[in-house]
Amino acid sequence: MPEAQAPRRTIIEFRHITKRFGPVTAVDDVSLTIEEGEFFALLGPSGCGKTTLLRMLAGFEMPTRGSILIDGKDITRAPPNARPVNMVFQSYAVFPHLDVMRNIEYGLRMEGAGTAERRERAEAALAMVQLEGYGDRMPDQLSGGQRQRVALARAIVKRPRVLLLDEPLSALDAKLREELRFELSALQDKLGITFVMVTHDQDEALALATRCAVMHKGSLMQVATPADLYEFPASRLVADFIGSVNLFEGRVEVDESDHAVIDLPEVGVKAWLDHGTGASGTVQIWLALRPEKVELHKRANGSGPPTMEGTPAGHNVLKGTILDIAYLGSESVYDVRLEGGKRVRVIRPNLTRWDQEDFTWDEEVWLGWHAEAAHVLLA
Amino acid sequence: MREKPGLLDYGRRWPLRLVMAAVGLFLYLPLVVLVVMSFNDSKRTTIWRGFTLDWYAAVFRDVELIQALVNSLTIAALSTLLSLGLGTLAAIALWRFRFPGRTLVQGGFALPIVVPEVCMGVALLIFFARVMPWPMGLPWPLSLGAIVIAHVAFSFPFVTVVVRARLASFDRAQEEAARDLGAGQWQALRDVVIPHLRPALLAGALLAFTLSLDDFVITFFTAGPDTVTFPVKVYSMVRFSVTPKVNAISTMLLLFTILLTFLALRLQARAEAEKRV
């Protein structure tokens, strides 16, 4: 459940923001507050409205309805150059005809800063992104990752209240992406500036953000910490978008404060949870089970079902056959078909260099999960 | 074994080489003759009598011809400047804004490119005769006003086309980045959009300059008796007789144009190199 945090100051406030492009509603009545010092991620598939929301914050789009406040000041209609925010563009948008130093100094020149101050602050920003000595390079002499850093330096040198990042890592290769991910995190710690990032990459959002908003078709689906998004998704949509998930239709049979029993008619088994669901007994619910929270057990010689930790015998176990195994190095993914035909995905970390239990194709297995492994979804 | 020459492997198939040579000859032989004959020591232009520079000297003695040349260069310079400004603004407007009748306006801008020059000439003649007569007897550069206006009218669409094409490759995020970093709309235009357009501006300027410099038809309709341009003057000279003097001045003009193009290419190459190094 959400951890209690010291109350922080609200820095950004979206109030009932709607944005239409002709007949298309890109953002639909979104209200959201972001607190000072957060690393906030707007997460969603392409076309969900996350970029439009960011662009309205930067001043490149005007909302059709609603208002945006920064530090309590209404900046809904303010031009981009009159907002205390700076952006790192997806394409970086480094000025190709200016060298690195002049790129970084550009914003300071617009502020009317003197030559000495400009130079000093630009050098500091270059050092911050580890590009010392690159000041006289032209942008097309830089690699993608370096250009990215120039874009970052150019934005933070302005000391904005909020730094906006539009898909900051999407154009980089996997290795570099991981590296810059840590650097972005460290940079935010060092600067203490509020970061707002747009991304379609859930890994990126989970790894970087202190809080995420999941968007879908212009609406907010859920706003929560990465751990809460993953472990306590609010809906099937969020559960499915963040990581992968096994979903079972179910009906609440027993719902007490310290445990619940859920009938899963689809697979003919009852699930035992170590907490109440808060859902009244009759409604249709879904049981969400992350692949890494499902265990594989041998079924050799007709051995009976294992008893899962914290559950009465016969609960939380399913019979199945391994259809396929994908070896991914750090872990293996098992595609298991249940007796009724439903497929369940199981992930096991490869703790040793070869599988001690030697699960193999077409093997009949038991699937089981702990009392605290599954999560109930109401929508 | 050598590979068989490809279908369009010009350099390696002799019939194609022959065609290439013929095309080259067709394109450049008249120019070569023109240049050679400008040094011909004869009043007739077709028979070689020996080398002389007299015709070049004669050109510089011909006050009317020089005046016509100065007129032409002045008109070309002025109309280039105006076309560049107008054409660039038009291109930016068409690129940036979605407004009702945009397609119509775009077509309207392109019209002078396709309208036959004679029609344009007659239209401008009537315009300056009836609608907005250009005052007579103005001091020199002002007296060229009507022709400058006419030249701007037909050359700015070319600038628009060239600039518009270049704008298509502009990353709007760069302009947004400038705004984001504190630039106003004009500053962003000046600092980011214009530098991106530089090669197109250069190409557009060259185009406008050469179009203006050698335009005959439209100028013929709009020129008054005291505003004779170089092509019009040459035409009137040729009507009496083609003397090597015409060859001489044509050669000089040719040299000037080649020099200008060469310079423009050099500038552009250096800009590219600066970006790379």
Side-chain angles (χ1 to χ4, degrees):
Chain A
M1 286 283 111
E3 51 184 305
Q5 275 181 339
R8 290 206 269 190
R9 230 167 62 78
T10 296
I11 185 163
I12 300 165
E13 198 176 346
F14 292 98
R15 285 188 186 159
H16 300 288
I17 290 292
T18 295
K19 175 66 183 177
R20 291 200 191 87
F21 293 106
V24 182
T25 304
V27 174
D28 193 4
D29 194 27
V30 165
S31 292
L32 178 67
T33 57
I34 296 173
E35 274 146 31
E36 184 148 23
E38 276 196 292
F39 197 137
F40 195 90
L42 292 164
L43 179 62
S46 61
C48 71
K50 58 188 192 302
T51 304
T52 307
L53 205 57
L54 191 79
R55 289 174 60 79
M56 288 191 282
L57 190 53
F60 304 134
E61 310 283 355
M62 296 294 148
T64 312
R65 264 211 309 277
S67 52
I68 303 172
L69 285 75
I70 295 181
D71 288 327
K73 213 177 117 216
D74 191 323
I75 49 107
T76 316
R77 309 261 150 213
N81 47 333
R83 295 178 183 221
V85 302
N86 286 109
M87 180 139 150
V88 176
F89 290 81
Q90 185 173 12
S91 63
Y92 312 144
V94 173
F95 306 133
H97 58 286
L98 300 180
D99 64 23
V100 169
M101 186 55 82
R102 280 194 225 135
N103 258 285
I104 295 171
E105 283 182 340
Y106 185 81
L108 302 176
R109 185 170 285 136
M110 291 298 116
E111 280 174 13
T115 320
E117 187 198 346
R118 279 205 314 254
R119 185 48 56 108
E120 189 185 326
R121 281 170 70 179
E123 295 281 6
L126 267 180
M128 198 78 96
V129 298
Q130 288 152 38
L131 278 182
E132 293 107 325
Y134 280 75
D136 53 1
R137 301 278 186 100
M138 292 307 282
D140 60 358
Q141 294 171 265
L142 303 177
S143 69
Q146 290 169 332
R147 248 174 275 172
Q148 158 86 301
R149 286 157 198 263
V150 173
L152 251 171
R154 189 176 65 176
I156 60 173
V157 78
K158 297 267 292 178
R159 298 180 187 146
R161 292 283 293 142
V162 184
L163 184 74
L164 312 178
L165 301 139
D166 186 6
E167 303 269 4
L169 307 178
S170 65
L172 305 172
D173 60 69
K175 198 93 185 162
L176 206 56
R177 203 177 319 167
E178 196 144 319
E179 218 178 287
L180 268 161
R181 211 184 261 173
F182 286 114
E183 273 183 42
L184 270 183
S185 241
L187 193 66
Q188 203 232 356
D189 280 348
K190 225 183 309 180
L191 293 169
I193 297 176
T194 309
F195 280 28
V196 179
M197 170 178 75
V198 153
T199 181
H200 68 273
D201 182 340
Q202 34 138 335
D203 289 342
E204 209 168 290
L206 295 187
L208 282 170
T210 52
R211 224 152 50 100
C212 301
V214 179
M215 289 187 74
H216 181 71
K217 290 186 177 164
S219 299
L220 282 185
M221 303 306 293
Q222 188 174 1
V223 182
T225 63
D228 282 351
L229 273 187
Y230 190 76
E231 305 295 356
F232 304 96
S235 61
R236 281 173 293 162
L237 220 122
V238 175
D240 198 39
F241 185 71
I242 311 283
S244 63
V245 69
N246 299 299
L247 287 170
F248 303 93
E249 285 179 26
R251 256 183 34 247
V252 179
E253 225 161 57
V254 179
D255 194 9
E256 301 292 337
S257 64
D258 63 340
H259 76 277
V261 177
I262 310 222
D263 183 34
L264 308 174
E266 233 183 326
V267 291
V269 170
K270 289 187 200 314
W272 178 280
L273 276 75
D274 67 348
H275 59 269
T277 66
S280 60
T282 50
V283 286
Q284 155 100 57
I285 59 111
W286 289 268
L287 195 73
L289 201 51
R290 296 289 187 190
E292 76 282 0
K293 294 185 174 63
V294 186
E295 291 176 3
L296 284 184
H297 290 275
K298 289 279 179 188
R299 217 167 94 193
N301 312 322
S303 65
T307 302
M308 298 309 297
E309 204 181 302
T311 69
H315 287 72
N316 294 15
V317 284
L318 296 165
K319 261 193 224 172
T321 308
I322 295 176
L323 266 191
D324 205 356
I325 304 172
Y327 174 74
L328 300 179
S330 61
E331 62 196 29
S332 292
V333 183
Y334 296 79
D335 184 10
V336 178
R337 189 175 58 206
L338 303 184
E339 283 182 335
K342 189 176 172 68
R343 306 272 277 271
V344 175
R345 175 188 282 248
V346 180
I347 294 178
R348 295 173 76 228
N350 293 321
L351 299 174
T352 50
R353 279 181 294 168
W354 56 87
D355 187 358
Q356 305 290 333
E357 291 191 86
D358 197 23
F359 284 106
T360 184
W361 281 265
D362 296 327
E363 183 175 348
E364 302 198 318
V365 290
W366 289 106
L367 304 181
W369 63 95
H370 292 191
E372 68 275 21
H375 176 60
V376 168
L377 299 173
L378 303 178
Chain B
M1 204 181 86
R2 287 183 65 194
E3 202 188 334
K4 230 180 105 191
L7 183 64
L8 293 177
D9 211 348
Y10 296 101
R12 287 173 57 196
R13 294 178 142 237
W14 72 262
L16 289 176
R17 266 190 259 184
L18 212 66
V19 172
M20 265 168 67
V23 169
L25 222 62
F26 181 75
L27 277 177
Y28 294 112
L29 192 62
L31 287 177
V32 171
V33 170
L34 173 100
V35 173
V36 168
M37 287 304 170
S38 72
F39 299 107
N40 189 11
D41 190 8
S42 157
K43 254 202 172 325
R44 302 203 178 280
T45 47
T46 44
I47 305 144
W48 182 258
R49 284 275 164 77
F51 182 85
T52 179
L53 286 174
D54 286 356
W55 300 115
Y56 287 87
V59 164
F60 287 105
R61 279 196 303 274
D62 189 332
V63 181
E64 273 180 39
L65 194 59
I66 293 297
Q67 181 58 51
L69 189 62
V70 170
N71 279 349
S72 268
L73 290 174
T74 311
I75 289 163
L78 288 174
S79 81
T80 298
L81 276 178
L82 290 170
S83 301
L84 211 54
L86 215 58
T88 305
L89 289 179
I92 289 175
L94 288 172
W95 166 69
R96 168 64 55 83
F97 303 109
R98 302 266 170 279
F99 48 89
R102 181 168 163 275
T103 330
L104 211 69
V105 172
Q106 192 158 10
F109 281 156
L111 209 58
I113 298 177
V114 290
V115 167
E117 271 196 86
V118 186
C119 304
M120 190 93 171
V122 172
L124 283 163
L125 177 70
I126 295 169
F127 176 79
F128 285 118
R130 294 285 157 82
V131 185
M132 198 195 88
W134 194 258
M136 300 291 274
L138 287 172
W140 171 67
L142 289 177
S143 59
L144 303 172
I147 304 178
V148 171
I149 290 170
H151 283 201
V152 169
F154 73 74
S155 55
F156 94 87
F158 288 91
V159 177
T160 302
V161 168
V162 176
V163 172
R164 182 92 171 76
R166 178 75 186 166
L167 277 170
S169 68
F170 180 71
D171 179 10
R172 279 294 295 272
Q174 280 188 23
E175 194 189 354
E176 288 174 349
R179 299 295 316 277
D180 186 65
L181 293 168
Q185 293 191 42
W186 282 106
Q187 283 169 318
L189 188 74
R190 182 196 66 197
D191 294 342
V192 181
V193 184
I194 299 294
H196 175 81
L197 291 182
R198 212 158 46 184
L201 294 178
L202 199 67
L206 266 178
L207 209 57
F209 192 83
T210 38
L211 279 171
S212 163
L213 198 60
D214 72 13
D215 178 75
F216 174 75
V217 178
I218 290 171
T219 314
F220 190 70
F221 281 101
T222 41
D226 10 302
T227 55
V228 173
T229 68
F230 182 70
V232 174
K233 177 71 186 164
V234 169
Y235 174 72
S236 69
M237 284 165 74
V238 170
R239 269 169 53 191
F240 300 112
S241 68
V242 183
T243 66
K245 202 157 85 175
V246 175
N247 289 24
I249 192 138
S250 300
T251 303
M252 287 194 279
L253 200 63
L254 193 68
L255 209 67
F256 178 69
T257 336
I258 289 173
L259 214 71
L260 211 64
T261 313
F262 179 74
L263 212 71
L265 288 175
R266 270 288 292 275
L267 279 175
Q268 204 165 346
R270 206 169 59 193
E272 292 287 314
E274 262 170 20
K275 269 179 73 182
R276 227 150 286 286
V277 173

